[in-house]
């Protein structure tokens, strides 16, 4: 069966994450509904990973199989976009090797978390407004400690069904962009709620409520209760997914 990749983006505000859930609207459900209608057969889509309720994606990839090759993928892309809600867009659909997998062949994923330091009514759905002083230099020192570890149980949602809580962190840094404070983190994989829990704990360091040694201890305890609170989902974006094509 021919396999096709989809490059898309979405605003996750109105969805209970990417993956289909009973009695909850999801990105996957909308995509499958529209593609199935336009192609004329039941389409099952496999995404590059889960995103939680309210999380956005600037670049997301998925794949699906069809019974016969699609005659005009550009036209299909245009037609599906007409049927999709305004908060989901497909950039491109293209045929790939039959064994290329959107999830398992992704070599890295990159997330950005956006924090507004001043109140801005135009960023209420895509940035976390945080009042008070932050020691960003100290937060960066704490983020640098992440490279020393692989087991991030302390930052994982409890009772998830995964074989391992090990992840390889490739990048973790704070920077300023357009008047916002941004945390960028790149890894081969992420646990559920991991980025939001890491950011919440780093903010405890920035507020002076947690030392670098405290942060190190949080990671080493492998206990979610020891870490900081998870920051709100609406300021988290899946920015990039990398493949070796």
């Amino acid at each position: 069966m021919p396999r096709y990749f989809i490059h898309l983006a979405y605003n996750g505000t109105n969805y209970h994450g990417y993956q289909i859930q009973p009695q909850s609207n999801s990105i996957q459900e909308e995509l499958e509904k529209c593609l199935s209608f336009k192609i004329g057969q039941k389409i099952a889509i496999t995404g590059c990973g889960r995103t939680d309720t309210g999380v956005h994606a600037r670049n997301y990839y998925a794949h699906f199989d069809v019974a016969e090759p699609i005659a005009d993928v550009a036209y299909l892309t245009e037609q599906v976009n007409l049927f999709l809600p305004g908060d989901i867009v497909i950039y491109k659909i293209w045929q790939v090797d039959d064994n290329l997998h959107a999830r398992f062949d992704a070599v890295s994923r990159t997330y950005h978390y956006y924090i507004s330091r001043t109140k801005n009514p135009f960023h209420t759905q895509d940035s976390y407004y945080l009042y008070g002083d932050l020691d960003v230099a100290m937060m960066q020192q704490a983020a640098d400690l992440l490279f020393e570890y692989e087991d991030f149980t302390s930052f994982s949602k409890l009772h998830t069904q995964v074989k391992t809580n090990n992840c390889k962190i490739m990048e973790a840094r704070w920077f300023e962009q357009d008047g916002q404070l941004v945390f960028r983190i790149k890894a081969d994989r992420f646990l559920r709620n991991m980025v939001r829990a890491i950011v919440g704990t780093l903010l405890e360091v920035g507020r002076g409520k947690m030392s670098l040694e405290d942060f190190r201890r949080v990671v080493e305890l492998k206990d979610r209760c020891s870490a900081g609170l998870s920051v709100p989902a609406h300021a988290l974006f899946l920015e990039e997914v990398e493949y070796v094509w």
Side-chain angles (χ1 to χ4, degrees):
M1 296 179 70
R3 174 161 295 182
Y4 289 83
F5 250 53
I6 314 172
H7 178 204
L8 64 139
Y10 56 83
N11 182 321
T13 301
N14 298 318
Y15 300 92
H16 291 259
Y18 168 80
Q19 189 166 311
I20 286 179
Q21 300 180 45
Q23 299 179 338
S24 299
N25 55 333
S26 68
I27 304 297
Q28 183 182 10
E29 181 181 13
E30 291 291 343
L31 289 170
E32 291 186 354
K33 180 174 61 178
C34 292
L35 277 168
S36 297
F37 175 70
K38 295 308 298 182
I39 293 175
Q41 69 180 78
K42 179 65 176 178
I43 299 296
I45 298 174
T46 299
C48 60
R50 299 181 62 153
T51 55
D52 291 336
T53 299
V55 175
H56 318 291
R58 296 192 199 278
N59 291 284
Y60 190 93
Y61 293 87
H63 77 253
F64 65 92
D65 298 327
V66 290
E68 300 291 338
I70 298 169
D72 190 339
V73 289
Y75 179 74
L76 173 65
T77 303
E78 293 176 359
Q79 290 299 301
V80 174
N81 274 325
L82 288 174
F83 279 85
L84 283 170
D87 46 15
I88 305 174
V89 61
I90 292 178
Y91 293 130
K92 184 180 179 182
I93 300 174
W94 72 104
Q95 189 170 359
V96 297
D97 291 341
D98 294 351
N99 61 351
L100 189 62
H101 198 284
R103 178 183 173 192
F104 298 135
D105 287 328
V107 296
S108 72
R109 298 156 175 86
T110 302
Y111 282 89
H112 283 186
Y113 193 85
Y114 294 85
I115 297 175
S116 293
R117 306 299 289 121
T118 57
K119 189 174 182 179
N120 187 329
F122 302 107
H123 283 298
T124 56
Q125 292 188 337
D126 60 13
S127 183
Y128 176 37
Y129 170 53
L130 191 64
Y131 176 79
D133 295 330
L134 290 174
D135 188 336
V136 179
M138 192 64 70
M139 289 159 57
Q140 183 59 60
Q141 289 185 52
D144 291 339
L145 296 177
L146 296 171
F147 296 107
E148 301 178 22
Y149 299 93
E150 292 186 349
D151 190 327
F152 294 101
T153 301
S154 292
F155 302 118
S156 173
K157 186 173 182 178
L158 297 175
H159 312 302
T160 57
Q161 296 178 341
V162 294
K163 294 181 179 179
T164 175
N165 286 336
N166 286 9
C167 308
K168 181 182 178 182
I169 303 293
M170 304 171 183
E171 186 177 356
R173 63 185 178 93
W174 291 94
F175 63 95
E176 294 278 349
Q177 177 179 291
D178 300 328
Q180 292 182 307
L181 181 62
V182 185
F183 181 62
R184 176 181 173 91
I185 184 166
K186 176 180 178 180
D188 61 342
R189 63 189 290 266
F190 287 93
L191 308 173
R192 288 193 64 185
N193 203 50
M194 179 174 165
V195 179
R196 292 164 56 202
I198 287 176
V199 173
T201 310
L202 289 174
L203 290 176
E204 292 291 282
V205 175
R207 293 186 177 107
K209 297 181 179 180
M210 185 181 291
S211 67
L212 293 179
E213 284 307 310
D214 291 335
F215 185 84
R216 182 186 293 278
R217 193 174 303 113
V218 165
V219 181
E220 294 179 351
L221 281 173
K222 302 176 184 178
D223 178 7
R224 179 64 186 91
C225 296
S226 67
L229 296 176
S230 294
V231 286
H234 69 268
L236 181 61
F237 286 74
L238 176 60
E239 292 282 335
E240 302 167 10
V241 183
E242 291 183 285
Y243 296 88
V244 178
W245 300 108

